Every structure is written in C-alpha cells, then in structure tokens.
Amino acid sequence: MTHPLKTALKDASLLADKAFVAGRWVCAADGRTFPVTDPFDGSVIAEVPSLSREEVSAAIDAAETAQKLWARRTAKERAKVLNTWFQLILDNADDLALILTSEQGKPLAEAKGEVIANAAYLEWFAEEAKRIDGDIIPGANAGQRILVLKQPVGVCAAITPWNFPNGMITRKAGPALAAGCSMLLKPASQTPLSALALAVLAERAGVPAGVFSVVTGEARPIGTEFCHNPKVAKITFTGSTGVGRWLMKEAADGIKRLSLELGGNAPFIVFDDADLDAAVDGAMISKFRNAGQTCVCANRIYVQESVVEAFTEKLLAKVSAITLGRGTDAGITQGPLIDDKAVAKIEEHVADALEKGGRLVAGGKRSVLGGTFYEPTVITGVTQAMKVAAEETFAPLAPIISFRDEDEVIAMANDSEYGLASYFYAKDMARVWRVAEALEAGIVGVNSGLIANEMAPFGGVKQSGLGREGSKYGIEGFLEIKYVCVAGL
Ligand SMILES: NC(=O)C1=CN([C@@H]2O[C@H](COP(=O)(O)OP(=O)(O)OC[C@H]3O[C@@H](n4cnc5c(N)ncnc54)[C@H](OP(=O)(O)O)[C@@H]3O)[C@@H](O)[C@H]2O)C=CC1
Ligand SMILES: O=C(O)[C@H](O)CS(=O)(=O)O
C-alpha cells in the first residue's frame, strides 16, 4: 500500500529514495536497499540504497576533490550558497516537517520547529564564514613576523541520529561548509529521508557536487570506512556514548579530528524559591519534547522537599493533557517511540523504580494505541539507587526525587558519568551563581527548559562528548590553525 506521504507533499521531488553522491542520485551497485518505516504503524514509506564500503570510499574521493575547489571559493561565495540553502529550507518547511514526522513520529508542530530552528545554523555559519580571522604577531626575533592562518580541516564525515533527523544535519553541515570543508553524511537508517530531502535542497541551492553527499547504508561498514580512510580528516557524530566511544577507538589510528555529541542524564532541579508554574512548564518541555527522546531531556527531576507536593500536583495536571497519536494528526502532542528497543528501555526503568519503592502517579504502561506508544509517566519517591537515576531513559518518564538542601542536590546531580545539559529553577541570584558554577555539565538552563539555539555553544563534558556546536565556537572544530614564520624581513 502506498504511504500517504507520497501524495501529501507539495513538492513530491523532496521525497528522494536514492543516495546523493558527488552530485548524482545513485542506487547501490548491487541493488541492495533497506526499508524506511513509519513508527506509527510500521508501514513502509520508501526503500533507500544500502551502499557498500567501496562505494563510500569512492564518495570520499569525490569529496576530497570537491573540497579543494570549495575552499578556494571566497567566504562570501560560500556564505551566499549557505544562505540560499537556508531560505530553501524555510520555503519548504511544511514538506520537510511532513517527511520528518512520517519517518520519526514526532508531532508535526515539533517537526516544523526542528526544521526552522536548525536551518538557522546555516544562516549563522554563513555569517561566521566571513569572520574566520587569523593573526599577525610581532616576531620573536628581529626581521621576523608570526602569521596565524585558519584553514579548513578538509573532508568531514558526519553521522547523525534518528531523534532529530533534520536538525542534526544542518547543525553540522553549516559550520563544515562555512569553513570550506566538504561533508559526507550517514544519516540514521531509521530516518534517512529527511537527510535526502535536505540534499535535494542543497543541490538546488548551488552546493557544488561532492561538497555535500548523503551515503545511506549499514552503519558499521560505513563507519569503518569513515574511520580508516586517510582522506577523511574529521568525524562529527551525534548519538549514543557507546557508538561515540567506538568511533574514538576506530579513529585513533589516523588521529582524526572528532566532534562528539553523545548521551546525557540531565538533572532538573526545583528549589524552594522557584516559580513553580514556570518550573512545571520547563519540566514539561524538557522532559516530554519528542516523547523524551532528546539528549538534553530532563532525566532526573529533583524537587526541594518543601515544594515537592505542590510541584508534583501541578506537573500531573499538565501531563494529563498530553495527547498521544499519529504525529501528522491535529492536536497530537506525543507520538510513538522510535522502536521496540526504546519501549523496552522505559519498561525496564519503570519496573526497576517501582520494585525499589517508587510510587506510580501517572502512566506506567504501553498505550492502548498499541505499537510503540507509551503513556507519559510520572513516578515519585525515586532515589539515586534506581536505574532511572543512573541511565538515560530516552522516553516519556519523569522521575521525581526530593531533596533537603543545595549541597545534597548538587552532589546527586553531579553523580553521573554524563554532563551534557542540566537545569534548575530558583530566584535567589547568589544561589543561581553558586549552582550554575557547581553543576558538572556543558549546558546549564537557569529558569528555562529549552536551551538549544544556533547562537549558543552546545555540547557536553565528561562522557557526553567533545566539542561544541553552534555559536562562534562551533566553527573551530572544522578549522586548523597554521603558524607561518616569515623571516628575513
Ligand atoms: N546525543 C543524542 O542526541 C542522541 C543520543 N542517543 C542515545 O543513544 C541511545 C541509542 O540510540 P541509537 O539510535 O541506538 O543511537 P546510535 O548511537 O546507535 O545511532 C546513532 C547513529 O550512529 C550510527 N551508528 C551506530 N553504530 C555505528 C557504527 N559502528 N559506525 C558508524 N555509525 C554507527 C547509527 O546508524 P544506524 O541508524 O544505521 O544504526 C546512527 O546513524 C539512545 O537511547 C540515547 O541514549 C541516541 C540518539 C541521539
Ligand atoms: O540530539 C538532540 O537530542 C538534540 O541536540 C536536542 S536539541 O539540541 O535539539 O534540543
């Protein structure tokens, strides 16, 4: 049966079912493909090519050739192409959102928000392209000058996840292309159609052949080629810490540059002087956006004991208003989880928490909608001894842990090998400074549950990753510093 997406798009050409290599739309030489399914009902949307490692190697060759010419373009020329791509994404945001929701499941409004918010990285880095400045430093010796040049690292390989199948791509392609690099992208096998639609628009925007390619196929062989091909200078990855660790090990032989946006275990802290209504709003967006499938989701909700009852009551009122269903249907605010593995994870965390004394106050089971739908769930009386406090749930589970004082909650919040996002709600400014500086995280949301944007440096500490995406810092990972010593002057 034909998936409804095929007839729902304003521009049907955005639904591409071939890989995009060196400016050409290609099938795998051996004809191999893999299905892309709709998590709502498991129906097949399209089949896309499963390229071989050899075909990826040839794509890398083309990316190397293209990169040398792309780097010779002026910054203004590169910026113009990025801005054209940015505008085309905005012009086609409805279709891109429809493709995104069809393959990933999130509500259409969230999908459109992802498309627009992350297209802004192209606009931002189009400007940063023109600010890749160097230095002229007085010489250490007479007749000498020290020059500092910044040059593109070269061919970059990007590997992106299924949870933000559109946004994670522009977030990486923006700085890479602005710096003068070329990029080969391997999107998540569950959600490649968003990447391919972006390639359609990149081609229309005038991104030269080979500067941006999308290679679809099995993760391990493609990842192995990325890590071991000497022409790949850098790997930029968003996904699990486990895969990030594997990439680090594999890329070590070639000392490749790495940017890693990995897993998280965000603490969300509500102090007794917090604006409770604001804290509940922040907890809702931080916990339940994308059905809890984001790396910056509130994974542990700590509430000071004097306000835990009031906070929980307010939170439950908001949770009860969450409406499950097909992401493309009006009024839906939570879609299906990405797959059965994701459902198994939340079932494991819920069972463990209840077994260890937690109290279920909302949800706690698969939805009557079936499939991979899981009810938004709240458990109180949670402790640090439970799996949900130590592991990233990546699903709609809000565990509430009460605490006595600041020292206790900082110690609990920092008791994790992860350090990506953290959040707290408080009014006392001295407390705001103390807690913001004490939390071991790359990102601290103070009185806000939504922190990602193109102007801010996004990234983690500890095992949540390496490097930053967005802001003026986000382009540094795609540049090398060259020191030129000019003597005899
Ligand atoms: N930081 C973040 O934003 C994200 C964090 N996560 C975390 O990861 C957990 C598991 O999610 P999952 O989707 O399995 O994430 P993975 O890390 O397994 O997948 C993310 C991307 O990495 C690719 N990949 C997997 N193995 C390799 C490999 N050996 N070489 C190259 N690429 C590889 C995947 O390809 P393929 O799809 O073909 O397997 C996908 O494109 C989540 O529960 C969450 O905790 C997940 C997504 C995003
Ligand atoms: O990978 C993710 O989960 C995203 O980075 C979340 S956000 O930055 O879009 O909020």
mmCIF file of all heavy atoms in Angstrom, residues 425-467:
data_model
loop_
_atom_site.group_PDB
_atom_site.id
_atom_site.type_symbol
_atom_site.label_atom_id
_atom_site.label_comp_id
_atom_site.label_asym_id
_atom_site.label_seq_id
_atom_site.Cartn_x
_atom_site.Cartn_y
_atom_site.Cartn_z
ATOM 1 N N TYR A 425 15.653 25.770 38.654
ATOM 2 C CA TYR A 425 14.742 26.904 38.827
ATOM 3 C C TYR A 425 14.935 27.470 40.221
ATOM 4 O O TYR A 425 14.831 26.762 41.217
ATOM 5 C CB TYR A 425 13.283 26.486 38.606
ATOM 6 C CG TYR A 425 12.926 26.411 37.129
ATOM 7 C CD1 TYR A 425 13.425 25.400 36.322
ATOM 8 C CD2 TYR A 425 12.129 27.399 36.532
ATOM 9 C CE1 TYR A 425 13.133 25.353 34.967
ATOM 10 C CE2 TYR A 425 11.816 27.349 35.177
ATOM 11 C CZ TYR A 425 12.327 26.334 34.400
ATOM 12 O OH TYR A 425 12.043 26.292 33.048
ATOM 13 N N ALA A 426 15.267 28.753 40.259
ATOM 14 C CA ALA A 426 15.489 29.448 41.537
ATOM 15 C C ALA A 426 15.432 30.943 41.258
ATOM 16 O O ALA A 426 15.574 31.374 40.111
ATOM 17 C CB ALA A 426 16.847 29.079 42.111
ATOM 18 N N LYS A 427 15.234 31.730 42.340
ATOM 19 C CA LYS A 427 15.185 33.189 42.154
ATOM 20 C C LYS A 427 16.361 33.891 42.802
ATOM 21 O O LYS A 427 16.815 34.930 42.340
ATOM 22 C CB LYS A 427 13.878 33.750 42.735
ATOM 23 C CG LYS A 427 12.635 33.381 41.935
ATOM 24 C CD LYS A 427 11.379 33.939 42.581
ATOM 25 C CE LYS A 427 10.121 33.461 41.839
ATOM 26 N NZ LYS A 427 8.932 33.475 42.731
ATOM 27 N N ASP A 428 16.864 33.309 43.887
ATOM 28 C CA ASP A 428 17.946 33.973 44.614
ATOM 29 C C ASP A 428 19.202 34.006 43.742
ATOM 30 O O ASP A 428 19.720 32.962 43.333
ATOM 31 C CB ASP A 428 18.230 33.184 45.911
ATOM 32 C CG ASP A 428 19.391 33.762 46.678
ATOM 33 O OD1 ASP A 428 20.536 33.391 46.339
ATOM 34 O OD2 ASP A 428 19.148 34.612 47.544
ATOM 35 N N MET A 429 19.707 35.223 43.458
ATOM 36 C CA MET A 429 20.802 35.352 42.494
ATOM 37 C C MET A 429 22.104 34.728 42.993
ATOM 38 O O MET A 429 22.888 34.204 42.216
ATOM 39 C CB MET A 429 21.015 36.813 42.125
ATOM 40 C CG MET A 429 19.932 37.360 41.205
ATOM 41 S SD MET A 429 19.525 36.212 39.849
ATOM 42 C CE MET A 429 21.013 36.354 38.848
ATOM 43 N N ALA A 430 22.329 34.783 44.284
ATOM 44 C CA ALA A 430 23.567 34.160 44.809
ATOM 45 C C ALA A 430 23.480 32.657 44.591
ATOM 46 O O ALA A 430 24.435 31.996 44.184
ATOM 47 C CB ALA A 430 23.720 34.491 46.288
ATOM 48 N N ARG A 431 22.288 32.115 44.811
ATOM 49 C CA ARG A 431 22.096 30.666 44.575
ATOM 50 C C ARG A 431 22.282 30.366 43.091
ATOM 51 O O ARG A 431 22.907 29.367 42.732
ATOM 52 C CB ARG A 431 20.703 30.247 45.041
ATOM 53 C CG ARG A 431 20.269 28.888 44.537
ATOM 54 C CD ARG A 431 18.950 28.473 45.145
ATOM 55 N NE ARG A 431 19.139 27.930 46.492
ATOM 56 C CZ ARG A 431 18.111 27.662 47.302
ATOM 57 N NH1 ARG A 431 16.875 27.959 46.946
ATOM 58 N NH2 ARG A 431 18.328 27.118 48.483
ATOM 59 N N VAL A 432 21.752 31.209 42.209
ATOM 60 C CA VAL A 432 21.873 30.973 40.765
ATOM 61 C C VAL A 432 23.343 30.859 40.367
ATOM 62 O O VAL A 432 23.752 29.921 39.685
ATOM 63 C CB VAL A 432 21.176 32.102 39.974
ATOM 64 C CG1 VAL A 432 21.589 32.067 38.504
ATOM 65 C CG2 VAL A 432 19.657 31.987 40.110
ATOM 66 N N TRP A 433 24.165 31.795 40.887
ATOM 67 C CA TRP A 433 25.596 31.734 40.561
ATOM 68 C C TRP A 433 26.241 30.486 41.148
ATOM 69 O O TRP A 433 26.974 29.768 40.463
ATOM 70 C CB TRP A 433 26.316 32.982 41.054
ATOM 71 C CG TRP A 433 26.188 34.125 40.102
ATOM 72 C CD1 TRP A 433 25.377 35.221 40.207
ATOM 73 C CD2 TRP A 433 26.868 34.249 38.839
ATOM 74 N NE1 TRP A 433 25.511 36.012 39.105
ATOM 75 C CE2 TRP A 433 26.409 35.460 38.248
ATOM 76 C CE3 TRP A 433 27.787 33.458 38.147
ATOM 77 C CZ2 TRP A 433 26.870 35.894 37.003
ATOM 78 C CZ3 TRP A 433 28.256 33.903 36.908
ATOM 79 C CH2 TRP A 433 27.800 35.125 36.358
ATOM 80 N N ARG A 434 25.942 30.195 42.432
ATOM 81 C CA ARG A 434 26.574 29.033 43.081
ATOM 82 C C ARG A 434 26.245 27.753 42.319
ATOM 83 O O ARG A 434 27.116 26.954 41.972
ATOM 84 C CB ARG A 434 26.049 28.902 44.524
ATOM 85 C CG ARG A 434 26.615 29.840 45.527
ATOM 86 C CD ARG A 434 26.339 29.337 46.956
ATOM 87 N NE ARG A 434 24.932 29.056 47.191
ATOM 88 C CZ ARG A 434 24.046 29.951 47.632
ATOM 89 N NH1 ARG A 434 24.435 31.217 47.820
ATOM 90 N NH2 ARG A 434 22.786 29.638 47.845
ATOM 91 N N VAL A 435 24.975 27.551 42.020
ATOM 92 C CA VAL A 435 24.547 26.270 41.424
ATOM 93 C C VAL A 435 25.013 26.171 39.971
ATOM 94 O O VAL A 435 25.511 25.136 39.528
ATOM 95 C CB VAL A 435 23.018 26.114 41.534
ATOM 96 C CG1 VAL A 435 22.550 24.831 40.838
ATOM 97 C CG2 VAL A 435 22.601 26.100 43.004
ATOM 98 N N ALA A 436 24.906 27.282 39.203
ATOM 99 C CA ALA A 436 25.344 27.244 37.798
ATOM 100 C C ALA A 436 26.813 26.876 37.703
ATOM 101 O O ALA A 436 27.222 26.124 36.820
ATOM 102 C CB ALA A 436 25.086 28.597 37.140
ATOM 103 N N GLU A 437 27.607 27.377 38.647
ATOM 104 C CA GLU A 437 29.041 27.075 38.601
ATOM 105 C C GLU A 437 29.352 25.700 39.157
ATOM 106 O O GLU A 437 30.326 25.071 38.759
ATOM 107 C CB GLU A 437 29.815 28.167 39.359
ATOM 108 C CG GLU A 437 29.783 29.505 38.612
ATOM 109 C CD GLU A 437 30.478 30.628 39.367
ATOM 110 O OE1 GLU A 437 30.814 30.426 40.556
ATOM 111 O OE2 GLU A 437 30.667 31.702 38.782
ATOM 112 N N ALA A 438 28.491 25.167 40.009
ATOM 113 C CA ALA A 438 28.785 23.875 40.647
ATOM 114 C C ALA A 438 28.349 22.683 39.802
ATOM 115 O O ALA A 438 28.893 21.586 39.924
ATOM 116 C CB ALA A 438 28.091 23.808 42.005
ATOM 117 N N LEU A 439 27.377 22.876 38.908
ATOM 118 C CA LEU A 439 26.891 21.739 38.129
ATOM 119 C C LEU A 439 27.916 21.302 37.088
ATOM 120 O O LEU A 439 28.463 22.127 36.351
ATOM 121 C CB LEU A 439 25.558 22.098 37.440
ATOM 122 C CG LEU A 439 24.350 22.197 38.370
ATOM 123 C CD1 LEU A 439 23.141 22.770 37.637
ATOM 124 C CD2 LEU A 439 24.018 20.820 38.954
ATOM 125 N N GLU A 440 28.198 19.999 37.014
ATOM 126 C CA GLU A 440 29.174 19.446 36.066
ATOM 127 C C GLU A 440 28.443 19.117 34.756
ATOM 128 O O GLU A 440 28.014 17.993 34.507
ATOM 129 C CB GLU A 440 29.819 18.198 36.669
ATOM 130 C CG GLU A 440 30.663 18.510 37.899
ATOM 131 C CD GLU A 440 31.070 17.273 38.684
ATOM 132 O OE1 GLU A 440 30.673 16.145 38.298
ATOM 133 O OE2 GLU A 440 31.764 17.441 39.705
ATOM 134 N N ALA A 441 28.292 20.141 33.934
ATOM 135 C CA ALA A 441 27.569 19.975 32.662
ATOM 136 C C ALA A 441 28.082 21.011 31.677
ATOM 137 O O ALA A 441 28.548 22.083 32.068
ATOM 138 C CB ALA A 441 26.065 20.154 32.886
ATOM 139 N N GLY A 442 27.931 20.697 30.381
ATOM 140 C CA GLY A 442 28.323 21.663 29.361
ATOM 141 C C GLY A 442 27.279 22.743 29.175
ATOM 142 O O GLY A 442 27.575 23.813 28.637
ATOM 143 N N ILE A 443 26.068 22.465 29.609
ATOM 144 C CA ILE A 443 24.950 23.398 29.408
ATOM 145 C C ILE A 443 24.158 23.513 30.710
ATOM 146 O O ILE A 443 23.824 22.477 31.326
ATOM 147 C CB ILE A 443 24.000 22.896 28.302
ATOM 148 C CG1 ILE A 443 24.756 22.622 26.993
ATOM 149 C CG2 ILE A 443 22.862 23.882 28.072
ATOM 150 C CD1 ILE A 443 23.941 21.829 25.967
ATOM 151 N N VAL A 444 23.847 24.713 31.142
ATOM 152 C CA VAL A 444 23.015 24.911 32.338
ATOM 153 C C VAL A 444 21.837 25.815 31.968
ATOM 154 O O VAL A 444 22.036 26.964 31.566
ATOM 155 C CB VAL A 444 23.808 25.560 33.495
ATOM 156 C CG1 VAL A 444 22.911 25.683 34.729
ATOM 157 C CG2 VAL A 444 25.054 24.730 33.832
ATOM 158 N N GLY A 445 20.646 25.301 32.067
ATOM 159 C CA GLY A 445 19.440 26.102 31.829
ATOM 160 C C GLY A 445 18.955 26.662 33.155
ATOM 161 O O GLY A 445 18.557 25.892 34.025
ATOM 162 N N VAL A 446 18.998 27.976 33.322
ATOM 163 C CA VAL A 446 18.517 28.587 34.571
ATOM 164 C C VAL A 446 17.135 29.183 34.302
ATOM 165 O O VAL A 446 16.981 30.051 33.438
ATOM 166 C CB VAL A 446 19.467 29.698 35.054
ATOM 167 C CG1 VAL A 446 18.952 30.299 36.362
ATOM 168 C CG2 VAL A 446 20.877 29.148 35.244
ATOM 169 N N ASN A 447 16.126 28.660 34.976
ATOM 170 C CA ASN A 447 14.731 29.070 34.765
ATOM 171 C C ASN A 447 14.293 28.920 33.317
ATOM 172 O O ASN A 447 13.467 29.698 32.819
ATOM 173 C CB ASN A 447 14.516 30.513 35.257
ATOM 174 C CG ASN A 447 14.778 30.658 36.752
ATOM 175 O OD1 ASN A 447 14.507 29.721 37.520
ATOM 176 N ND2 ASN A 447 15.378 31.767 37.145
ATOM 177 N N SER A 448 14.881 27.934 32.612
ATOM 178 C CA SER A 448 14.468 27.623 31.242
ATOM 179 C C SER A 448 14.677 26.128 30.981
ATOM 180 O O SER A 448 15.696 25.556 31.384
ATOM 181 C CB SER A 448 15.296 28.401 30.221
ATOM 182 O OG SER A 448 14.991 27.938 28.911
ATOM 183 N N GLY A 449 13.700 25.527 30.273
ATOM 184 C CA GLY A 449 13.824 24.098 29.959
ATOM 185 C C GLY A 449 14.169 23.867 28.502
ATOM 186 O O GLY A 449 14.225 22.714 28.040
ATOM 187 N N LEU A 450 14.403 24.954 27.757
ATOM 188 C CA LEU A 450 14.700 24.841 26.323
ATOM 189 C C LEU A 450 15.913 25.707 26.048
ATOM 190 O O LEU A 450 15.867 26.935 26.186
ATOM 191 C CB LEU A 450 13.485 25.350 25.516
ATOM 192 C CG LEU A 450 13.430 25.001 24.036
ATOM 193 C CD1 LEU A 450 13.445 23.501 23.817
ATOM 194 C CD2 LEU A 450 12.160 25.597 23.414
ATOM 195 N N ILE A 451 17.041 25.041 25.697
ATOM 196 C CA ILE A 451 18.303 25.788 25.709
ATOM 197 C C ILE A 451 19.024 25.817 24.360
ATOM 198 O O ILE A 451 19.953 26.578 24.175
ATOM 199 C CB ILE A 451 19.260 25.201 26.776
ATOM 200 C CG1 ILE A 451 19.187 23.655 26.824
ATOM 201 C CG2 ILE A 451 18.858 25.662 28.173
ATOM 202 C CD1 ILE A 451 19.857 22.908 25.816
ATOM 203 N N ALA A 452 18.633 24.957 23.406
ATOM 204 C CA ALA A 452 19.416 24.849 22.170
ATOM 205 C C ALA A 452 19.062 25.965 21.197
ATOM 206 O O ALA A 452 17.886 26.243 20.953
ATOM 207 C CB ALA A 452 19.168 23.498 21.499
ATOM 208 N N ASN A 453 20.074 26.629 20.666
ATOM 209 C CA ASN A 453 19.892 27.583 19.564
ATOM 210 C C ASN A 453 21.226 27.816 18.894
ATOM 211 O O ASN A 453 22.278 27.519 19.462
ATOM 212 C CB ASN A 453 19.293 28.903 20.072
ATOM 213 C CG ASN A 453 20.198 29.573 21.073
ATOM 214 O OD1 ASN A 453 21.230 30.127 20.721
ATOM 215 N ND2 ASN A 453 19.843 29.475 22.346
ATOM 216 N N GLU A 454 21.194 28.403 17.707
ATOM 217 C CA GLU A 454 22.414 28.476 16.880
ATOM 218 C C GLU A 454 23.447 29.438 17.452
ATOM 219 O O GLU A 454 24.620 29.416 17.067
ATOM 220 C CB GLU A 454 22.060 28.903 15.456
ATOM 221 C CG GLU A 454 21.689 30.361 15.258
ATOM 222 C CD GLU A 454 20.264 30.693 15.688
ATOM 223 O OE1 GLU A 454 19.576 29.824 16.271
ATOM 224 O OE2 GLU A 454 19.843 31.841 15.462
ATOM 225 N N MET A 455 23.015 30.299 18.412
ATOM 226 C CA MET A 455 23.947 31.323 18.905
ATOM 227 C C MET A 455 24.703 30.857 20.142
ATOM 228 O O MET A 455 25.603 31.532 20.628
ATOM 229 C CB MET A 455 23.163 32.604 19.201
ATOM 230 C CG MET A 455 22.443 33.122 17.974
ATOM 231 S SD MET A 455 21.370 34.507 18.330
ATOM 232 C CE MET A 455 22.596 35.796 18.454
ATOM 233 N N ALA A 456 24.337 29.676 20.672
ATOM 234 C CA ALA A 456 24.927 29.200 21.926
ATOM 235 C C ALA A 456 25.806 27.975 21.669
ATOM 236 O O ALA A 456 25.514 27.162 20.797
ATOM 237 C CB ALA A 456 23.809 28.835 22.901
ATOM 238 N N PRO A 457 26.883 27.835 22.471
ATOM 239 C CA PRO A 457 27.760 26.658 22.316
ATOM 240 C C PRO A 457 27.132 25.429 22.961
ATOM 241 O O PRO A 457 26.990 25.362 24.181
ATOM 242 C CB PRO A 457 29.037 27.079 23.049
ATOM 243 C CG PRO A 457 28.586 28.078 24.055
ATOM 244 C CD PRO A 457 27.377 28.755 23.490
ATOM 245 N N PHE A 458 26.723 24.467 22.164
ATOM 246 C CA PHE A 458 26.018 23.267 22.628
ATOM 247 C C PHE A 458 26.993 22.108 22.677
ATOM 248 O O PHE A 458 27.634 21.775 21.678
ATOM 249 C CB PHE A 458 24.891 22.949 21.650
ATOM 250 C CG PHE A 458 24.028 21.785 22.033
ATOM 251 C CD1 PHE A 458 22.782 21.980 22.583
ATOM 252 C CD2 PHE A 458 24.467 20.477 21.851
ATOM 253 C CE1 PHE A 458 21.983 20.900 22.940
ATOM 254 C CE2 PHE A 458 23.681 19.393 22.206
ATOM 255 C CZ PHE A 458 22.432 19.617 22.749
ATOM 256 N N GLY A 459 27.125 21.488 23.867
ATOM 257 C CA GLY A 459 27.988 20.320 23.967
ATOM 258 C C GLY A 459 28.155 19.908 25.402
ATOM 259 O O GLY A 459 27.730 20.591 26.325
ATOM 260 N N GLY A 460 28.808 18.751 25.599
ATOM 261 C CA GLY A 460 28.875 18.185 26.938
ATOM 262 C C GLY A 460 30.272 18.016 27.476
ATOM 263 O O GLY A 460 31.260 18.167 26.744
ATOM 264 N N VAL A 461 30.342 17.707 28.780
ATOM 265 C CA VAL A 461 31.602 17.367 29.445
ATOM 266 C C VAL A 461 31.486 15.908 29.870
ATOM 267 O O VAL A 461 30.495 15.238 29.606
ATOM 268 C CB VAL A 461 31.841 18.280 30.669
ATOM 269 C CG1 VAL A 461 31.943 19.743 30.241
ATOM 270 C CG2 VAL A 461 30.743 18.116 31.720
ATOM 271 N N LYS A 462 32.537 15.430 30.499
ATOM 272 C CA LYS A 462 32.605 14.024 30.884
ATOM 273 C C LYS A 462 32.283 13.127 29.675
ATOM 274 O O LYS A 462 32.718 13.437 28.563
ATOM 275 C CB LYS A 462 31.692 13.757 32.093
ATOM 276 C CG LYS A 462 32.114 14.557 33.340
ATOM 277 C CD LYS A 462 31.508 14.010 34.618
ATOM 278 C CE LYS A 462 30.289 14.717 35.083
ATOM 279 N NZ LYS A 462 29.817 14.319 36.437
ATOM 280 N N GLN A 463 31.451 12.087 29.832
ATOM 281 C CA GLN A 463 31.234 11.179 28.705
ATOM 282 C C GLN A 463 30.072 11.602 27.815
ATOM 283 O O GLN A 463 29.519 10.797 27.056
ATOM 284 C CB GLN A 463 31.029 9.748 29.243
ATOM 285 C CG GLN A 463 32.273 9.232 29.962
ATOM 286 C CD GLN A 463 32.177 7.752 30.324
ATOM 287 O OE1 GLN A 463 31.620 6.947 29.572
ATOM 288 N NE2 GLN A 463 32.728 7.410 31.479
ATOM 289 N N SER A 464 29.732 12.891 27.874
ATOM 290 C CA SER A 464 28.681 13.404 26.973
ATOM 291 C C SER A 464 29.254 13.973 25.692
ATOM 292 O O SER A 464 28.484 14.422 24.835
ATOM 293 C CB SER A 464 27.848 14.464 27.705
ATOM 294 O OG SER A 464 26.980 13.831 28.639
ATOM 295 N N GLY A 465 30.574 13.947 25.545
ATOM 296 C CA GLY A 465 31.096 14.330 24.242
ATOM 297 C C GLY A 465 32.290 15.243 24.244
ATOM 298 O O GLY A 465 32.858 15.566 25.293
ATOM 299 N N LEU A 466 32.624 15.658 23.020
ATOM 300 C CA LEU A 466 33.782 16.533 22.770
ATOM 301 C C LEU A 466 33.358 17.628 21.807
ATOM 302 O O LEU A 466 32.661 17.344 20.823
ATOM 303 C CB LEU A 466 34.912 15.742 22.099
ATOM 304 C CG LEU A 466 35.536 14.579 22.849
ATOM 305 C CD1 LEU A 466 36.470 13.820 21.911
ATOM 306 C CD2 LEU A 466 36.286 15.075 24.069
ATOM 307 N N GLY A 467 33.762 18.853 22.069
ATOM 308 C CA GLY A 467 33.500 19.930 21.124
ATOM 309 C C GLY A 467 32.160 20.609 21.366
ATOM 310 O O GLY A 467 31.369 20.200 22.214
#
